[in-house]
Amino acid sequence: MIEGKTVTGIVLVAGNSTRYGQNRNKNFEIINGKTVMSYTLKAFEKNVYIDNLIIGAKEEEISTIETILQKEKITKPVHIVLGGKSRQETVYHCIQKTDANIVMIHDGARPAIQQRYINQCIESMKEFKGVAVGVPSKDTIKVTDENNVVVQSTNRNHTWIIQTPQCFERKVLLDNHEKYRDEKVTDDCMLLEKGHEKVKIIEGDYTNIKITTYEDKEIVKKFMDTHI
């Protein structure tokens, strides 16, 4: 626990895996004998700060997830919540099902997450309402108009690629989900930004990639062979 506060870890596995291109949920793919989501679950299971887990899932995949939970012998309390039509809606469903002070949201398809980044996120909640892991952009990012014509060049020194986990004061996140529920966002940090809350970035590393395409699976496997 951190200053008497409780923490719920939320693992998102309800996506369609469209870009993965294999007509199956990438979270159930096998790396070194374990499903992708198993690594995330085990990382949250052994973390000293996280009290319980919520998994955002599709209804037709709940039985598969329950089998994984039994196989991995997850001992922390786990609640499976039906996902929504979007990532944003799935997170909203999940944070409604916990009364923890802090929620930590993580993509199930980021199996190479390391304990130190989970810890740093949660510990930074002493000072901030929202914290996310990210890495500095290696390239210059261009902003374009609808015709792909450049309208702005960003300063690479101040540009970050945001990953998960992302950690929030639950009530603040819930309030902003409800306030901006009709606006599309791609991550929960954007909701706090809209609500004029400061979001702290913890510098992670480039091994914490999300499996998006089939090729990513082999890249992640090489990373995990060295440090997981």
Side-chain angles (χ1 to χ4, degrees):
M1 297 177 66
I2 177 171
E3 297 179 350
K5 294 185 178 181
T6 52
V7 182
T8 292
I10 296 174
V11 179
L12 304 177
V13 300
N16 292 319
S17 299
T18 303
R19 288 173 290 176
Y20 192 64
Q22 303 297 311
N23 294 318
R24 57 182 180 265
N25 191 328
K26 60 196 175 188
N27 289 279
F28 305 144
E29 291 287 75
I30 303 298
I31 296 179
N32 296 339
K34 291 180 178 290
T35 63
V36 168
M37 69 173 290
S38 293
Y39 292 98
T40 294
L41 292 172
K42 294 301 285 186
F44 278 27
E45 162 85 343
K46 70 180 183 180
N47 187 268
V48 296
Y49 290 124
I50 296 176
D51 299 293
N52 53 72
L53 302 175
I54 290 177
I55 302 174
K58 293 181 178 179
E59 184 173 12
E60 63 269 26
E61 294 176 342
I62 289 178
S63 61
T64 300
I65 294 169
E66 289 175 339
T67 299
I68 292 171
L69 290 169
Q70 292 174 0
K71 183 178 180 180
E72 298 301 332
K73 297 181 172 59
I74 303 298
T75 59
K76 287 183 178 178
V78 181
H79 185 50
I80 300 175
V81 173
L82 290 182
K85 296 179 181 179
S86 65
R87 182 187 190 280
Q88 183 175 348
E89 191 174 332
T90 297
V91 171
Y92 180 59
H93 289 176
C94 290
I95 60 179
Q96 286 181 304
K97 297 298 183 179
T98 177
D99 57 3
N101 304 110
I102 297 170
V103 291
M104 169 166 277
I105 300 165
H106 190 61
D107 302 314
R110 288 189 193 270
I113 183 60
Q114 299 181 51
Q115 289 294 313
R116 56 178 167 155
Y117 301 126
I118 297 175
N119 292 340
Q120 287 175 32
C121 274
I122 296 173
E123 290 163 1
S124 295
M125 290 300 296
K126 296 174 183 177
E127 301 177 55
F128 297 90
K129 304 295 185 183
V131 181
V133 173
V135 290
S137 174
K138 295 180 179 180
D139 304 303
T140 298
I141 305 298
K142 302 286 187 181
V143 180
T144 69
D145 62 17
E146 62 275 9
N147 297 313
N148 293 337
V149 176
V150 174
V151 296
Q152 182 182 355
S153 294
T154 63
N155 184 336
R156 185 171 60 191
N157 294 329
H158 301 294
T159 304
W160 292 75
I161 300 168
I162 298 303
Q163 305 173 339
T164 64
Q166 297 180 2
C167 206
F168 304 94
E169 186 174 303
R170 188 191 68 88
K171 187 178 185 306
V172 171
L173 182 60
L174 181 61
D175 288 347
N176 281 286
H177 262 278
E178 293 174 343
K179 185 176 181 179
Y180 300 107
R181 64 187 309 168
D182 294 328
E183 299 186 33
K184 292 184 179 180
V185 298
T186 53
D187 77 344
D188 294 278
C189 293
M190 292 177 65
L191 292 170
L192 265 70
E193 294 163 30
K194 288 178 178 294
H196 305 290
E197 295 283 356
K198 292 181 179 180
V199 176
K200 172 71 173 178
I201 296 179
I202 300 295
E203 184 171 352
D205 64 49
Y206 298 91
T207 67
N208 183 34
I209 69 171
K210 181 181 180 182
I211 296 176
T212 302
T213 66
Y214 189 71
E215 292 74 21
D216 292 335
K217 177 184 171 184
E218 290 304 312
I219 296 172
V220 170
K221 183 180 183 300
K222 291 179 181 178
F223 289 148
M224 295 175 72
D225 286 342
T226 60
H227 75 250
I228 296 296

Short mmCIF file of all heavy atoms in Angstrom, two decimals, residues 26-88:
data_model
loop_
_atom_site.label_atom_id
_atom_site.label_comp_id
_atom_site.label_asym_id
_atom_site.label_seq_id
_atom_site.Cartn_x
_atom_site.Cartn_y
_atom_site.Cartn_z
N LYS A 26 -4.61 -11.26 -29.94
CA LYS A 26 -3.16 -11.32 -29.74
C LYS A 26 -2.79 -11.59 -28.28
O LYS A 26 -1.71 -12.11 -27.99
CB LYS A 26 -2.52 -10.02 -30.20
CG LYS A 26 -3.02 -8.79 -29.45
CD LYS A 26 -2.67 -7.51 -30.18
CE LYS A 26 -3.28 -6.30 -29.50
NZ LYS A 26 -3.11 -5.07 -30.29
N ASN A 27 -3.68 -11.28 -27.36
CA ASN A 27 -3.40 -11.51 -25.94
C ASN A 27 -3.31 -12.99 -25.59
O ASN A 27 -2.76 -13.35 -24.56
CB ASN A 27 -4.48 -10.85 -25.07
CG ASN A 27 -4.38 -9.35 -25.07
OD1 ASN A 27 -3.57 -8.78 -24.34
ND2 ASN A 27 -5.20 -8.69 -25.87
N PHE A 28 -3.84 -13.84 -26.47
CA PHE A 28 -3.82 -15.27 -26.23
C PHE A 28 -2.71 -15.99 -27.01
O PHE A 28 -2.61 -17.22 -26.93
CB PHE A 28 -5.17 -15.89 -26.59
CG PHE A 28 -6.34 -15.27 -25.88
CD1 PHE A 28 -7.56 -15.11 -26.52
CD2 PHE A 28 -6.21 -14.80 -24.58
CE1 PHE A 28 -8.64 -14.53 -25.87
CE2 PHE A 28 -7.27 -14.22 -23.92
CZ PHE A 28 -8.49 -14.08 -24.55
N GLU A 29 -1.90 -15.23 -27.74
CA GLU A 29 -0.77 -15.83 -28.45
C GLU A 29 0.25 -16.37 -27.44
O GLU A 29 0.32 -15.88 -26.30
CB GLU A 29 -0.10 -14.80 -29.36
CG GLU A 29 -0.97 -14.38 -30.54
CD GLU A 29 -1.07 -15.47 -31.59
OE1 GLU A 29 -1.81 -16.47 -31.34
OE2 GLU A 29 -0.43 -15.35 -32.64
N ILE A 30 1.03 -17.33 -27.85
CA ILE A 30 1.98 -17.98 -26.96
C ILE A 30 3.40 -17.49 -27.19
O ILE A 30 3.88 -17.44 -28.33
CB ILE A 30 1.94 -19.52 -27.15
CG1 ILE A 30 0.52 -20.05 -26.93
CG2 ILE A 30 2.92 -20.21 -26.21
CD1 ILE A 30 -0.03 -19.83 -25.54
N ILE A 31 4.06 -17.10 -26.10
CA ILE A 31 5.49 -16.76 -26.11
C ILE A 31 6.16 -17.57 -25.02
O ILE A 31 5.80 -17.47 -23.85
CB ILE A 31 5.73 -15.26 -25.87
CG1 ILE A 31 5.14 -14.42 -27.01
CG2 ILE A 31 7.22 -14.96 -25.72
CD1 ILE A 31 5.30 -12.92 -26.82
N ASN A 32 7.09 -18.41 -25.42
CA ASN A 32 7.82 -19.24 -24.45
C ASN A 32 6.89 -20.03 -23.52
O ASN A 32 7.11 -20.12 -22.32
CB ASN A 32 8.79 -18.40 -23.63
CG ASN A 32 9.88 -17.77 -24.48
OD1 ASN A 32 10.16 -18.23 -25.58
ND2 ASN A 32 10.50 -16.70 -23.99
N GLY A 33 5.84 -20.57 -24.11
CA GLY A 33 4.95 -21.45 -23.35
C GLY A 33 3.85 -20.77 -22.57
O GLY A 33 3.04 -21.45 -21.93
N LYS A 34 3.78 -19.44 -22.59
CA LYS A 34 2.74 -18.71 -21.86
C LYS A 34 2.02 -17.76 -22.80
O LYS A 34 2.60 -17.27 -23.77
CB LYS A 34 3.35 -17.90 -20.71
CG LYS A 34 3.90 -18.73 -19.55
CD LYS A 34 4.46 -17.80 -18.48
CE LYS A 34 4.97 -18.57 -17.28
NZ LYS A 34 3.86 -19.19 -16.51
N THR A 35 0.76 -17.50 -22.49
CA THR A 35 0.04 -16.50 -23.29
C THR A 35 0.62 -15.12 -23.02
O THR A 35 1.19 -14.85 -21.96
CB THR A 35 -1.46 -16.49 -22.95
OG1 THR A 35 -1.64 -16.11 -21.58
CG2 THR A 35 -2.10 -17.83 -23.22
N VAL A 36 0.44 -14.24 -23.99
CA VAL A 36 0.93 -12.87 -23.86
C VAL A 36 0.37 -12.21 -22.60
O VAL A 36 1.10 -11.60 -21.82
CB VAL A 36 0.54 -12.05 -25.12
CG1 VAL A 36 0.77 -10.55 -24.89
CG2 VAL A 36 1.35 -12.53 -26.33
N MET A 37 -0.93 -12.35 -22.37
CA MET A 37 -1.53 -11.69 -21.22
C MET A 37 -1.07 -12.29 -19.89
O MET A 37 -1.13 -11.63 -18.86
CB MET A 37 -3.05 -11.70 -21.30
CG MET A 37 -3.71 -13.05 -21.14
SD MET A 37 -5.53 -12.93 -21.05
CE MET A 37 -5.77 -12.15 -19.46
N SER A 38 -0.59 -13.55 -19.92
CA SER A 38 -0.10 -14.18 -18.69
C SER A 38 1.05 -13.39 -18.08
O SER A 38 1.15 -13.27 -16.85
CB SER A 38 0.35 -15.61 -18.97
OG SER A 38 -0.74 -16.44 -19.31
N TYR A 39 1.92 -12.87 -18.91
CA TYR A 39 3.08 -12.12 -18.41
C TYR A 39 2.64 -10.84 -17.70
O TYR A 39 3.18 -10.48 -16.66
CB TYR A 39 4.04 -11.80 -19.56
CG TYR A 39 4.71 -13.01 -20.13
CD1 TYR A 39 4.24 -13.61 -21.28
CD2 TYR A 39 5.84 -13.57 -19.52
CE1 TYR A 39 4.86 -14.75 -21.82
CE2 TYR A 39 6.47 -14.69 -20.04
CZ TYR A 39 5.98 -15.27 -21.18
OH TYR A 39 6.59 -16.39 -21.70
N THR A 40 1.65 -10.18 -18.29
CA THR A 40 1.12 -8.97 -17.64
C THR A 40 0.46 -9.32 -16.32
O THR A 40 0.67 -8.65 -15.30
CB THR A 40 0.12 -8.27 -18.57
OG1 THR A 40 0.79 -7.79 -19.72
CG2 THR A 40 -0.57 -7.11 -17.86
N LEU A 41 -0.36 -10.37 -16.31
CA LEU A 41 -1.04 -10.77 -15.08
C LEU A 41 -0.04 -11.13 -13.98
O LEU A 41 -0.21 -10.74 -12.82
CB LEU A 41 -1.95 -11.96 -15.35
CG LEU A 41 -3.17 -11.69 -16.23
CD1 LEU A 41 -3.88 -13.00 -16.58
CD2 LEU A 41 -4.14 -10.73 -15.54
N LYS A 42 1.02 -11.85 -14.34
CA LYS A 42 2.01 -12.25 -13.35
C LYS A 42 2.79 -11.05 -12.82
O LYS A 42 3.16 -10.99 -11.65
CB LYS A 42 2.96 -13.29 -13.93
CG LYS A 42 2.31 -14.63 -14.27
CD LYS A 42 1.66 -15.28 -13.05
CE LYS A 42 2.69 -15.90 -12.12
NZ LYS A 42 2.03 -16.66 -11.01
N ALA A 43 3.04 -10.07 -13.68
CA ALA A 43 3.74 -8.86 -13.25
C ALA A 43 2.90 -8.10 -12.23
O ALA A 43 3.41 -7.62 -11.21
CB ALA A 43 4.05 -7.97 -14.46
N PHE A 44 1.60 -8.01 -12.47
CA PHE A 44 0.71 -7.33 -11.54
C PHE A 44 0.51 -8.16 -10.28
O PHE A 44 0.36 -7.63 -9.19
CB PHE A 44 -0.63 -7.03 -12.21
CG PHE A 44 -0.63 -5.79 -13.06
CD1 PHE A 44 0.53 -5.31 -13.65
CD2 PHE A 44 -1.80 -5.08 -13.27
CE1 PHE A 44 0.53 -4.16 -14.43
CE2 PHE A 44 -1.81 -3.92 -14.05
CZ PHE A 44 -0.64 -3.47 -14.62
N GLU A 45 0.50 -9.48 -10.45
CA GLU A 45 0.32 -10.39 -9.32
C GLU A 45 1.43 -10.22 -8.28
O GLU A 45 1.18 -10.18 -7.08
CB GLU A 45 0.29 -11.83 -9.83
CG GLU A 45 0.54 -12.91 -8.80
CD GLU A 45 -0.69 -13.32 -8.02
OE1 GLU A 45 -1.67 -12.57 -8.04
OE2 GLU A 45 -0.65 -14.39 -7.41
N LYS A 46 2.66 -10.08 -8.74
CA LYS A 46 3.77 -10.03 -7.80
C LYS A 46 4.13 -8.62 -7.32
O LYS A 46 4.96 -8.46 -6.44
CB LYS A 46 5.01 -10.70 -8.39
CG LYS A 46 5.69 -9.96 -9.51
CD LYS A 46 6.91 -10.77 -9.99
CE LYS A 46 7.69 -10.05 -11.08
NZ LYS A 46 8.86 -10.83 -11.53
N ASN A 47 3.45 -7.61 -7.88
CA ASN A 47 3.77 -6.25 -7.46
C ASN A 47 3.25 -5.96 -6.06
O ASN A 47 2.10 -6.28 -5.73
CB ASN A 47 3.19 -5.23 -8.45
CG ASN A 47 3.65 -3.82 -8.13
OD1 ASN A 47 2.98 -3.09 -7.41
ND2 ASN A 47 4.81 -3.45 -8.64
N VAL A 48 4.08 -5.35 -5.24
CA VAL A 48 3.75 -5.15 -3.83
C VAL A 48 2.66 -4.10 -3.62
O VAL A 48 1.99 -4.10 -2.58
CB VAL A 48 5.00 -4.74 -3.02
CG1 VAL A 48 6.02 -5.85 -3.04
CG2 VAL A 48 5.62 -3.45 -3.58
N TYR A 49 2.45 -3.22 -4.58
CA TYR A 49 1.47 -2.15 -4.41
C TYR A 49 0.06 -2.55 -4.84
O TYR A 49 -0.93 -2.03 -4.33
CB TYR A 49 1.87 -0.92 -5.23
CG TYR A 49 3.07 -0.18 -4.70
CD1 TYR A 49 4.19 0.06 -5.51
CD2 TYR A 49 3.11 0.31 -3.40
CE1 TYR A 49 5.29 0.75 -5.04
CE2 TYR A 49 4.21 1.01 -2.92
CZ TYR A 49 5.29 1.23 -3.74
OH TYR A 49 6.39 1.92 -3.28
N ILE A 50 -0.04 -3.44 -5.82
CA ILE A 50 -1.33 -3.75 -6.42
C ILE A 50 -2.10 -4.75 -5.56
O ILE A 50 -1.61 -5.84 -5.25
CB ILE A 50 -1.16 -4.28 -7.86
CG1 ILE A 50 -0.56 -3.17 -8.73
CG2 ILE A 50 -2.49 -4.75 -8.43
CD1 ILE A 50 -0.24 -3.58 -10.14
N ASP A 51 -3.32 -4.36 -5.18
CA ASP A 51 -4.14 -5.16 -4.28
C ASP A 51 -5.02 -6.17 -5.00
O ASP A 51 -5.27 -7.27 -4.50
CB ASP A 51 -5.02 -4.24 -3.42
CG ASP A 51 -4.19 -3.30 -2.56
OD1 ASP A 51 -3.50 -3.79 -1.65
OD2 ASP A 51 -4.24 -2.09 -2.81
N ASN A 52 -5.55 -5.78 -6.14
CA ASN A 52 -6.47 -6.65 -6.87
C ASN A 52 -6.42 -6.31 -8.36
O ASN A 52 -5.85 -5.29 -8.76
CB ASN A 52 -7.89 -6.53 -6.33
CG ASN A 52 -8.36 -5.09 -6.29
OD1 ASN A 52 -8.64 -4.49 -7.31
ND2 ASN A 52 -8.44 -4.50 -5.09
N LEU A 53 -7.06 -7.17 -9.16
CA LEU A 53 -7.01 -7.01 -10.61
C LEU A 53 -8.41 -6.98 -11.20
O LEU A 53 -9.32 -7.66 -10.73
CB LEU A 53 -6.24 -8.17 -11.25
CG LEU A 53 -4.80 -8.41 -10.79
CD1 LEU A 53 -4.26 -9.67 -11.44
CD2 LEU A 53 -3.93 -7.23 -11.13
N ILE A 54 -8.56 -6.19 -12.26
CA ILE A 54 -9.75 -6.20 -13.10
C ILE A 54 -9.29 -6.43 -14.53
O ILE A 54 -8.33 -5.81 -14.99
CB ILE A 54 -10.55 -4.89 -12.98
CG1 ILE A 54 -11.21 -4.78 -11.60
CG2 ILE A 54 -11.61 -4.80 -14.07
CD1 ILE A 54 -11.96 -3.48 -11.39
N ILE A 55 -9.98 -7.31 -15.23
CA ILE A 55 -9.67 -7.59 -16.62
C ILE A 55 -10.84 -7.15 -17.49
O ILE A 55 -11.98 -7.61 -17.29
CB ILE A 55 -9.37 -9.09 -16.85
CG1 ILE A 55 -8.21 -9.54 -15.97
CG2 ILE A 55 -9.08 -9.36 -18.32
CD1 ILE A 55 -7.95 -11.04 -16.02
N GLY A 56 -10.60 -6.25 -18.43
CA GLY A 56 -11.63 -5.83 -19.37
C GLY A 56 -11.61 -6.77 -20.56
O GLY A 56 -10.61 -6.85 -21.27
N ALA A 57 -12.71 -7.51 -20.80
CA ALA A 57 -12.70 -8.60 -21.77
C ALA A 57 -13.99 -8.66 -22.58
O ALA A 57 -15.01 -8.10 -22.20
CB ALA A 57 -12.50 -9.92 -21.04
N LYS A 58 -13.92 -9.38 -23.70
CA LYS A 58 -15.11 -9.70 -24.47
C LYS A 58 -15.84 -10.87 -23.81
O LYS A 58 -15.20 -11.77 -23.27
CB LYS A 58 -14.72 -10.09 -25.91
CG LYS A 58 -14.14 -8.96 -26.72
CD LYS A 58 -13.82 -9.47 -28.13
CE LYS A 58 -13.28 -8.35 -29.00
NZ LYS A 58 -12.94 -8.84 -30.36
N GLU A 59 -17.15 -10.86 -23.93
CA GLU A 59 -17.95 -11.90 -23.29
C GLU A 59 -17.56 -13.29 -23.78
O GLU A 59 -17.44 -14.24 -22.98
CB GLU A 59 -19.43 -11.66 -23.53
CG GLU A 59 -20.34 -12.64 -22.81
CD GLU A 59 -21.81 -12.28 -22.94
OE1 GLU A 59 -22.14 -11.40 -23.77
OE2 GLU A 59 -22.62 -12.86 -22.20
N GLU A 60 -17.33 -13.43 -25.08
CA GLU A 60 -17.05 -14.75 -25.64
C GLU A 60 -15.65 -15.26 -25.30
O GLU A 60 -15.33 -16.43 -25.57
CB GLU A 60 -17.21 -14.73 -27.18
CG GLU A 60 -16.27 -13.81 -27.91
CD GLU A 60 -16.82 -12.40 -28.12
OE1 GLU A 60 -17.68 -11.98 -27.30
OE2 GLU A 60 -16.39 -11.73 -29.08
N GLU A 61 -14.83 -14.42 -24.67
CA GLU A 61 -13.47 -14.84 -24.33
C GLU A 61 -13.26 -15.03 -22.82
O GLU A 61 -12.16 -15.33 -22.37
CB GLU A 61 -12.46 -13.82 -24.88
CG GLU A 61 -12.45 -13.79 -26.40
CD GLU A 61 -11.54 -12.72 -26.99
OE1 GLU A 61 -11.17 -11.77 -26.27
OE2 GLU A 61 -11.22 -12.84 -28.18
N ILE A 62 -14.33 -14.85 -22.05
CA ILE A 62 -14.21 -14.95 -20.59
C ILE A 62 -13.75 -16.34 -20.16
O ILE A 62 -12.90 -16.48 -19.27
CB ILE A 62 -15.54 -14.57 -19.91
CG1 ILE A 62 -15.78 -13.06 -20.05
CG2 ILE A 62 -15.53 -14.97 -18.44
CD1 ILE A 62 -17.09 -12.58 -19.46
N SER A 63 -14.29 -17.38 -20.76
CA SER A 63 -13.90 -18.74 -20.36
C SER A 63 -12.42 -18.99 -20.63
O SER A 63 -11.75 -19.66 -19.83
CB SER A 63 -14.76 -19.77 -21.08
OG SER A 63 -14.59 -19.69 -22.49
N THR A 64 -11.91 -18.45 -21.74
CA THR A 64 -10.48 -18.58 -22.04
C THR A 64 -9.64 -17.89 -20.98
O THR A 64 -8.63 -18.42 -20.52
CB THR A 64 -10.17 -17.98 -23.43
OG1 THR A 64 -10.92 -18.68 -24.42
CG2 THR A 64 -8.68 -18.09 -23.75
N ILE A 65 -10.07 -16.71 -20.58
CA ILE A 65 -9.36 -15.96 -19.55
C ILE A 65 -9.39 -16.68 -18.21
O ILE A 65 -8.38 -16.74 -17.49
CB ILE A 65 -9.94 -14.53 -19.43
CG1 ILE A 65 -9.67 -13.75 -20.72
CG2 ILE A 65 -9.36 -13.80 -18.22
CD1 ILE A 65 -10.41 -12.45 -20.82
N GLU A 66 -10.53 -17.23 -17.87
CA GLU A 66 -10.64 -17.98 -16.62
C GLU A 66 -9.68 -19.17 -16.59
O GLU A 66 -9.08 -19.48 -15.55
CB GLU A 66 -12.09 -18.43 -16.41
CG GLU A 66 -13.03 -17.29 -16.09
CD GLU A 66 -14.49 -17.72 -16.01
OE1 GLU A 66 -14.82 -18.78 -16.59
OE2 GLU A 66 -15.30 -17.01 -15.38
N THR A 67 -9.53 -19.83 -17.73
CA THR A 67 -8.59 -20.94 -17.82
C THR A 67 -7.16 -20.46 -17.61
O THR A 67 -6.36 -21.11 -16.91
CB THR A 67 -8.70 -21.63 -19.20
OG1 THR A 67 -10.02 -22.15 -19.35
CG2 THR A 67 -7.69 -22.76 -19.33
N ILE A 68 -6.83 -19.31 -18.19
CA ILE A 68 -5.48 -18.74 -18.02
C ILE A 68 -5.23 -18.38 -16.56
O ILE A 68 -4.15 -18.65 -16.01
CB ILE A 68 -5.32 -17.49 -18.93
CG1 ILE A 68 -5.31 -17.91 -20.40
CG2 ILE A 68 -4.03 -16.73 -18.57
CD1 ILE A 68 -5.37 -16.75 -21.37
N LEU A 69 -6.22 -17.80 -15.91
CA LEU A 69 -6.09 -17.43 -14.50
C LEU A 69 -5.82 -18.66 -13.63
O LEU A 69 -4.98 -18.62 -12.72
CB LEU A 69 -7.35 -16.72 -14.01
CG LEU A 69 -7.61 -15.31 -14.57
CD1 LEU A 69 -9.01 -14.84 -14.21
CD2 LEU A 69 -6.57 -14.33 -14.04
N GLN A 70 -6.52 -19.73 -13.92
CA GLN A 70 -6.32 -20.96 -13.15
C GLN A 70 -4.93 -21.55 -13.42
O GLN A 70 -4.25 -21.99 -12.49
CB GLN A 70 -7.41 -21.98 -13.52
CG GLN A 70 -8.80 -21.58 -13.05
CD GLN A 70 -9.87 -22.52 -13.57
OE1 GLN A 70 -9.59 -23.47 -14.28
NE2 GLN A 70 -11.12 -22.24 -13.20
N LYS A 71 -4.52 -21.54 -14.67
CA LYS A 71 -3.22 -22.10 -15.03
C LYS A 71 -2.08 -21.33 -14.38
O LYS A 71 -1.08 -21.91 -13.93
CB LYS A 71 -3.06 -22.12 -16.55
CG LYS A 71 -1.75 -22.75 -17.02
CD LYS A 71 -1.67 -22.78 -18.53
CE LYS A 71 -0.35 -23.41 -18.98
NZ LYS A 71 -0.25 -23.46 -20.48
N GLU A 72 -2.21 -20.00 -14.34
CA GLU A 72 -1.14 -19.16 -13.80
C GLU A 72 -1.22 -19.03 -12.29
O GLU A 72 -0.38 -18.39 -11.66
CB GLU A 72 -1.19 -17.76 -14.45
CG GLU A 72 -0.95 -17.77 -15.95
CD GLU A 72 0.39 -18.35 -16.34
OE1 GLU A 72 1.34 -18.28 -15.53
OE2 GLU A 72 0.49 -18.89 -17.46
N LYS A 73 -2.27 -19.61 -11.68
CA LYS A 73 -2.43 -19.59 -10.23
C LYS A 73 -2.40 -18.16 -9.67
O LYS A 73 -1.67 -17.86 -8.71
CB LYS A 73 -1.37 -20.46 -9.55
CG LYS A 73 -1.47 -21.94 -9.91
CD LYS A 73 -0.40 -22.75 -9.20
CE LYS A 73 -0.61 -24.25 -9.38
NZ LYS A 73 -0.60 -24.69 -10.80
N ILE A 74 -3.18 -17.29 -10.27
CA ILE A 74 -3.29 -15.91 -9.79
C ILE A 74 -4.04 -15.91 -8.46
O ILE A 74 -5.19 -16.38 -8.38
CB ILE A 74 -4.01 -15.03 -10.82
CG1 ILE A 74 -3.30 -15.07 -12.18
CG2 ILE A 74 -4.12 -13.60 -10.31
CD1 ILE A 74 -1.88 -14.56 -12.16
N THR A 75 -3.40 -15.41 -7.42
CA THR A 75 -4.00 -15.47 -6.08
C THR A 75 -4.65 -14.16 -5.65
O THR A 75 -5.49 -14.17 -4.75
CB THR A 75 -2.94 -15.87 -5.04
OG1 THR A 75 -1.87 -14.90 -5.06
CG2 THR A 75 -2.37 -17.24 -5.34
N LYS A 76 -4.27 -13.05 -6.26
CA LYS A 76 -4.93 -11.79 -5.92
C LYS A 76 -6.36 -11.82 -6.46
O LYS A 76 -6.65 -12.47 -7.47
CB LYS A 76 -4.16 -10.61 -6.50
CG LYS A 76 -2.85 -10.32 -5.78
CD LYS A 76 -2.14 -9.10 -6.34
CE LYS A 76 -0.86 -8.82 -5.54
NZ LYS A 76 -0.09 -7.67 -6.08
N PRO A 77 -7.28 -11.11 -5.78
CA PRO A 77 -8.66 -11.08 -6.27
C PRO A 77 -8.73 -10.54 -7.70
O PRO A 77 -8.09 -9.53 -8.02
CB PRO A 77 -9.35 -10.11 -5.29
CG PRO A 77 -8.52 -10.16 -4.05
CD PRO A 77 -7.11 -10.35 -4.52
N VAL A 78 -9.49 -11.24 -8.55
CA VAL A 78 -9.63 -10.85 -9.95
C VAL A 78 -11.11 -10.74 -10.30
O VAL A 78 -11.90 -11.63 -9.97
CB VAL A 78 -8.96 -11.86 -10.90
CG1 VAL A 78 -9.11 -11.41 -12.35
CG2 VAL A 78 -7.49 -12.05 -10.56
N HIS A 79 -11.47 -9.66 -10.97
CA HIS A 79 -12.84 -9.47 -11.44
C HIS A 79 -12.78 -9.24 -12.95
O HIS A 79 -12.04 -8.37 -13.42
CB HIS A 79 -13.49 -8.28 -10.74
CG HIS A 79 -14.94 -8.09 -11.08
ND1 HIS A 79 -15.87 -9.10 -11.02
CD2 HIS A 79 -15.61 -6.99 -11.49
CE1 HIS A 79 -17.05 -8.63 -11.36
NE2 HIS A 79 -16.92 -7.36 -11.66
N ILE A 80 -13.53 -10.02 -13.72
CA ILE A 80 -13.59 -9.85 -15.16
C ILE A 80 -14.80 -8.99 -15.51
O ILE A 80 -15.92 -9.28 -15.09
CB ILE A 80 -13.67 -11.21 -15.88
CG1 ILE A 80 -12.45 -12.07 -15.54
CG2 ILE A 80 -13.76 -11.02 -17.40
CD1 ILE A 80 -12.50 -13.47 -16.10
N VAL A 81 -14.55 -7.92 -16.27
CA VAL A 81 -15.59 -6.95 -16.62
C VAL A 81 -15.78 -6.96 -18.13
O VAL A 81 -14.80 -7.00 -18.89
CB VAL A 81 -15.20 -5.53 -16.14
CG1 VAL A 81 -16.19 -4.49 -16.66
CG2 VAL A 81 -15.13 -5.50 -14.62
N LEU A 82 -17.02 -6.91 -18.58
CA LEU A 82 -17.29 -6.87 -20.01
C LEU A 82 -16.81 -5.55 -20.60
O LEU A 82 -17.12 -4.47 -20.09
CB LEU A 82 -18.79 -7.03 -20.28
CG LEU A 82 -19.39 -8.41 -20.02
CD1 LEU A 82 -20.87 -8.41 -20.39
CD2 LEU A 82 -18.65 -9.47 -20.80
N GLY A 83 -16.04 -5.65 -21.69
CA GLY A 83 -15.55 -4.46 -22.36
C GLY A 83 -16.65 -3.78 -23.16
O GLY A 83 -17.73 -4.34 -23.37
N GLY A 84 -16.34 -2.57 -23.60
CA GLY A 84 -17.29 -1.81 -24.41
C GLY A 84 -16.93 -1.84 -25.87
O GLY A 84 -16.14 -2.66 -26.33
N LYS A 85 -17.49 -0.91 -26.62
CA LYS A 85 -17.25 -0.83 -28.06
C LYS A 85 -15.91 -0.18 -28.38
O LYS A 85 -15.46 -0.22 -29.53
CB LYS A 85 -18.38 -0.04 -28.73
CG LYS A 85 -19.74 -0.71 -28.60
CD LYS A 85 -20.81 0.13 -29.25
CE LYS A 85 -22.19 -0.52 -29.12
NZ LYS A 85 -23.25 0.32 -29.73
N SER A 86 -15.29 0.43 -27.39
CA SER A 86 -14.00 1.10 -27.59
C SER A 86 -13.14 0.91 -26.35
O SER A 86 -13.64 0.51 -25.29
CB SER A 86 -14.20 2.60 -27.85
OG SER A 86 -14.76 3.22 -26.69
N ARG A 87 -11.85 1.21 -26.48
CA ARG A 87 -10.96 1.15 -25.33
C ARG A 87 -11.46 2.09 -24.24
O ARG A 87 -11.47 1.76 -23.05
CB ARG A 87 -9.54 1.55 -25.75
CG ARG A 87 -8.51 1.47 -24.62
CD ARG A 87 -7.17 2.03 -25.09
NE ARG A 87 -6.11 1.77 -24.13
CZ ARG A 87 -5.90 2.48 -23.02
NH1 ARG A 87 -6.71 3.49 -22.73
NH2 ARG A 87 -4.91 2.17 -22.22
N GLN A 88 -11.87 3.28 -24.65
CA GLN A 88 -12.36 4.28 -23.70
C GLN A 88 -13.55 3.76 -22.90
O GLN A 88 -13.60 3.90 -21.67
CB GLN A 88 -12.77 5.53 -24.49
CG GLN A 88 -13.22 6.71 -23.65
CD GLN A 88 -13.49 7.94 -24.50
OE1 GLN A 88 -13.12 7.97 -25.68
NE2 GLN A 88 -14.13 8.94 -23.94
#
